[in-house]
Amino acid sequence: MKRVALPGGEEVPALGMGTWMIGEDAARRSEEISTLQQGIDLGMTLIDTAEMYGDGASEKLVGQAIRGRRDRVFLVSKVYPHNAGRKAAQLACERSLKRLGVDCLDLYLLHWRGDVPFTETIEAFVALQAQGKIRHWGVSNFDLDDLQAWCDLPGGDAVATNQVLYNLTRRGIEWDLLPWCQQQQMPVMAYCPLAQAGRLRDGLLNNSVVTDIARAHNATAAQILLAWVISHEGVMAIPKAGTVAHAQENAAALNITLSAEDLARLDNAFPAPG
């Protein structure tokens, strides 16, 4: 299992599971729980959720899925920007812990930048860490200016990761954010690594270069896309899986090593920003 090191040396799986829009349909609950449990059994033990997802429904489902498996899971949740103040973050974290049925989060992220001063959020995260309610903390959807401003504040350089949109069609972070994070040895967590649903994703999965490389590796297009994301230094990915078969497909991407020729072809088909 490929792993990515957090600041301080702790390692987490390079491929985990996202849970956006999971837990909102009672008819699919059993299948979604089984999917998460299958993913854990396959080594995708990093699970990402948020208080925003289904207004807490995703956290509740994740809590049910990891019951009896908590010690195997690296659990991530995110706080709304409007809940990121000193007292509000404390209360929001406690609500998330209750929904998840756990005593501590492995990683707690500010979901995106809001109006609460960074200093307040950092103080809140440090306090939660001191109380043993979170182990690590970080940010999400930060561009380079935001991230540098955060890291320049007292205590801000303890940020563990930045969770951002990143896939073969959305390579903007390669312009400045990703190189800076790599230089700082700060990992990046990629959401929507297979692109978002709709025509964009369909076009990516059916792209002739992607499908040709997939055939050469006896793999699926989705597996090639995941292998591409996690081939980058310090990058982990959290694709969503809606079925057990989908979780199995995602996990198999860990067995794929793209060649220099593969990577060059993908670069030519989907150029990085200039």
Side-chain angles (χ1 to χ4, degrees), residues 44-206:
M44 296 187 295
T45 54
L46 188 162
I47 299 180
D48 174 82
T49 185
E51 66 172 342
M52 185 190 81
Y53 298 168
D55 196 24
S58 170
E59 289 180 322
K60 290 179 181 178
L61 185 137
V62 170
Q64 188 173 350
I66 67 173
R67 198 171 298 154
R69 294 172 166 83
R70 175 65 184 100
D71 59 346
R72 298 168 56 190
V73 171
F74 189 89
L75 187 58
V76 185
S77 194
K78 299 184 285 291
V79 60
Y80 270 123
H82 62 261
N83 283 338
R86 292 182 185 90
K87 182 61 176 177
Q90 175 91 28
L91 296 174
C93 183
E94 290 172 356
R95 290 192 296 268
S96 288
L97 292 173
K98 183 176 180 180
R99 286 189 290 263
L100 287 159
V102 300
D103 297 324
C104 177
L105 289 168
D106 296 299
L107 177 63
Y108 200 36
L109 305 178
L110 172 61
H111 209 149
W112 64 88
R113 179 173 190 167
D115 295 329
V116 175
F118 286 170
T119 52
E120 279 197 42
T121 305
I122 292 171
E123 289 173 12
F125 284 173
V126 170
L128 287 166
Q129 195 173 37
Q131 296 163 17
K133 293 179 180 178
I134 63 175
R135 297 179 55 240
H136 305 278
W137 49 263
V139 296
S140 179
N141 295 303
F142 271 36
D143 62 20
L144 181 58
D145 289 344
D146 286 341
L147 189 55
Q148 289 177 328
W150 176 286
C151 290
D152 285 342
L153 293 170
D157 59 355
V159 60
T161 190
N162 184 17
Q163 184 183 117
V164 293
L165 173 67
Y166 186 44
N167 58 60
L168 195 54
T169 65
R170 292 291 184 268
R171 301 180 62 176
I173 68 168
E174 293 179 29
W175 173 249
D176 55 6
L177 178 64
L178 180 57
W180 188 85
C181 289
Q182 290 170 331
Q183 184 180 39
Q184 304 299 316
Q185 297 186 314
M186 180 191 304
V188 166
M189 188 179 296
Y191 68 80
C192 294
L194 300 175
Q196 292 155 307
R199 286 184 294 176
L200 178 62
R201 175 169 174 166
D202 292 342
L204 186 55
L205 292 173
N206 294 312

Side-chain angles (χ1 to χ4, degrees), residues 201-250:
R201 175 169 174 166
D202 292 342
L204 186 55
L205 292 173
N206 294 312
N207 177 269
S208 60
V209 173
V210 176
T211 56
D212 188 49
I213 293 172
R215 281 193 295 271
H217 285 270
N218 193 27
T220 66
Q223 289 167 342
I224 297 302
L225 299 176
L226 290 176
W228 179 85
V229 171
I230 63 175
S231 72
H232 295 80
E233 177 191 348
V235 177
M236 50 193 137
I238 47 170
K240 173 186 170 183
T243 65
V244 168
H246 192 184
Q248 293 169 340
E249 179 186 5
N250 287 349

